Amino acid sequence: MTEADRRPSALLRAGARGLVAAMAMTGIRTVTTTLAPQQKSPPEAIVERFAPTAVLRSREHRREAVTELLHWTYGATGGAVFGLLPARLRGMPMTGPAYGLLVWLGFELAVAPALGVQRAEQRRALWRVVVALDHMLYGVVVAGRLAPEPAVTARTAEAVGDEDDGVRR
């Protein structure tokens, strides 16, 4: 891992991509739940099982907000972890989608059993396909493949400073 990869700004950017990716997943699930029979998402199951009584007794829209905020936090954390991977690995085209699938499989194989929430094999095939695609999108966004940053060499960075405002220094 290079010095630039360890800078807080690089990890913050990676975490922000994770947050945006988790938000995109929310949007996809909102659309797909009208196309397939709705089943509880893992974040919903976790909130239902572990949230404080005050959250569980609150109005539905408030519980949904708590659920989404927890999911987005998880997504942002996953993005920051992606940012810790070696640059060479992060730069490979399939790393993002593979990472998204690994996040899902990690949840299904480790986190879900530990928390006692419903696992993918207990769900319909269409639901599993949608969740897999959803997590692949997460990985694409986390990897920055939708809006990649231009490569910056040390010499270019020195010439233009940290901010690329188009002014040569």
Side-chain angles (χ1 to χ4, degrees):
M1 184 178 299
T2 68
E3 183 72 28
D5 292 335
R6 282 183 247 140
R7 285 193 322 222
S9 62
L11 292 178
L12 186 60
R13 237 186 345 273
R17 284 193 301 266
L19 172 62
V20 170
M23 290 174 170
M25 292 172 74
T26 298
I28 288 173
R29 288 211 188 123
T30 299
V31 171
T32 58
T33 56
T34 62
L35 302 175
Q38 184 175 0
Q39 297 185 18
K40 268 188 197 117
S41 69
E44 290 169 328
I46 291 169
V47 167
E48 185 177 279
R49 185 168 177 146
F50 294 103
T53 305
V55 171
L56 295 175
R57 289 185 179 165
S58 65
R59 293 185 177 162
E60 184 177 349
H61 71 276
R62 201 171 297 254
R63 258 190 336 273
E64 289 173 356
V66 168
T67 301
E68 289 311 322
L69 288 172
L70 289 172
H71 184 238
W72 296 349
T73 300
Y74 188 77
T77 302
V81 170
F82 183 87
L84 293 172
L85 296 175
R88 196 169 104 198
L89 181 61
R90 288 192 327 260
M92 299 171 116
M94 291 309 297
T95 299
Y99 181 79
L101 287 174
L102 285 173
V103 167
W104 177 46
L105 289 174
F107 177 84
E108 292 295 334
L109 298 175
V111 177
L115 297 178
V117 297
Q118 190 178 29
R119 294 179 57 189
E121 69 257 4
Q122 299 166 325
R123 301 177 188 273
R124 295 181 182 199
L126 178 59
W127 191 93
R128 288 184 293 212
V129 168
V130 168
V131 171
L133 292 172
D134 201 26
H135 282 81
M136 288 176 72
L137 170 67
Y138 170 82
V140 167
V141 174
V142 164
R145 293 285 173 215
L146 294 179
E149 296 178 29
V152 177
T153 64
R155 178 172 286 187
T156 304
E158 287 175 12
V160 296
D162 286 335
E163 298 296 320
D164 184 10
D165 57 7
V167 177
R168 209 83 182 137
R169 292 179 174 83

